[in-house]
Amino acid sequence: MSPTTESYDYADKTEAGDGDTKQLERLRTAGGHIADQSQPSLPVTHRTFANPAPLGLLSFATGIFLISILGVHARGIGTPNVLVGVLLFFGGICQYISGIMEFVAGNSFGATVFPSYAAFNFSYAMIFIPGTGIIASYTGPDGLLVGEFYNALGMYCWAWFILTVIFTIAAMRSSWVLFLTLFFLDIELLLLAVGYMLASSSILVAANSVGFVVAFFSYWAGCAGLFAGGLTPINLPTFPMYKQE
């Protein structure tokens, strides 16, 4: 397998001496987990607890997938309220816990990104909860949403676009799978911001279509971490962006 396609995994180490290859050794963390740096922004090193990155990535992917599939009005569904529970509990609480565990592991990237997008899921879900009064405050006397609501959503997306660009830059020396997750999320948020502010349904559908690509790469990154370390016979490559030694 060529260096460009091989998953860079510190789990296996081969020592060479006197021209002979000694037995394969497994590097493990303090907690007995397989050490893995195939995704440097989310490494498995010196951990006593399990790797929280797969939970964070898979919960993020599931939230984005639901937002996207309802955003393109699949099966004629125009009311997105069904995603509230998933965003609050899986995309919100589970992803937030993943971020806290990254704090414990000393991983600044995961500790910043996962709680941030957990907050995104919480805040987005809150829009559709009647008790928050958010929708009601933008509803006119005729019961219809006023144009100000869509401009406000556009500004909301601009804020998350800026933050995601920062995260994308931070992931530039990680893996292509993780980088592309954030890169396409940049595009999705940019299109959402423009679509809401121009009140263009076609741009909004295009934006949510890009969301499927975001979900795909996030699922890939999450599965790569979950399947690693001998848990399954499947070893998904993450295509490192750095030069391998």
Side-chain angles (χ1 to χ4, degrees):
M1 184 178 294
S2 64
T4 57
T5 58
E6 183 179 17
S7 177
Y8 192 61
D9 193 344
Y10 281 101
D12 295 335
K13 182 181 72 173
T14 303
E15 293 184 347
D18 300 326
D20 297 326
T21 301
K22 296 183 179 180
Q23 65 178 14
L24 201 65
E25 296 182 2
R26 305 290 285 179
L27 296 180
R28 294 183 179 272
T29 67
H33 306 291
I34 299 298
D36 181 13
Q37 294 190 20
S38 59
Q39 301 189 82
S41 295
L42 302 170
V44 183
T45 55
H46 307 298
R47 282 198 170 112
T48 302
F49 302 102
N51 179 16
L55 174 62
L57 290 164
L58 294 176
S59 59
F60 171 78
T62 302
I64 289 294
F65 174 78
L66 273 177
I67 291 173
S68 299
I69 199 168
L70 293 173
V72 298
H73 308 299
R75 306 292 294 177
I77 299 174
T79 304
N81 296 55
V82 70
L83 58 75
V84 170
V86 176
L87 292 185
L88 288 177
F89 292 98
F90 193 40
I93 294 176
C94 288
Q95 195 170 180
Y96 184 77
I97 291 173
S98 177
I100 294 300
M101 295 307 297
E102 292 286 11
F103 268 109
V104 175
N107 179 16
S108 298
F109 182 83
T112 305
V113 171
F114 290 142
S116 295
Y117 289 121
F120 169 81
N121 286 327
F122 276 124
S123 61
Y124 189 77
M126 294 286 280
I127 295 174
F128 302 100
I129 298 177
T132 64
I134 296 176
I135 292 289
S137 64
Y138 291 101
T139 303
D142 56 358
L144 300 176
L145 289 171
V146 297
E148 185 181 359
F149 173 71
Y150 298 103
N151 284 321
L153 276 181
M155 295 177 186
Y156 173 86
C157 291
W158 278 120
W160 285 102
F161 168 75
I162 294 171
L163 187 62
T164 302
V165 168
I166 295 172
F167 293 154
T168 305
I169 295 172
M172 287 181 66
R173 288 180 61 84
S174 59
S175 67
W176 277 107
V177 173
L178 183 59
F179 176 80
L180 290 175
T181 300
L182 294 168
F183 175 77
F184 282 107
L185 183 59
D186 290 329
I187 296 176
E188 180 185 10
L189 289 169
L190 177 62
L191 290 174
L192 284 173
V194 173
Y196 280 125
M197 298 191 82
L198 296 180
S200 172
S201 59
S202 59
I203 296 179
L204 290 175
V205 170
N208 285 290
S209 298
V210 175
F212 291 116
V213 181
V214 178
F216 170 78
F217 281 113
S218 187
Y219 275 127
W220 187 330
C223 289
L226 181 63
F227 296 163
L231 183 65
T232 70
I234 302 172
N235 184 24
L236 291 178
T238 54
F239 307 103
M241 301 176 69
Y242 52 88
K243 182 178 180 181
Q244 300 180 15
E245 299 294 339

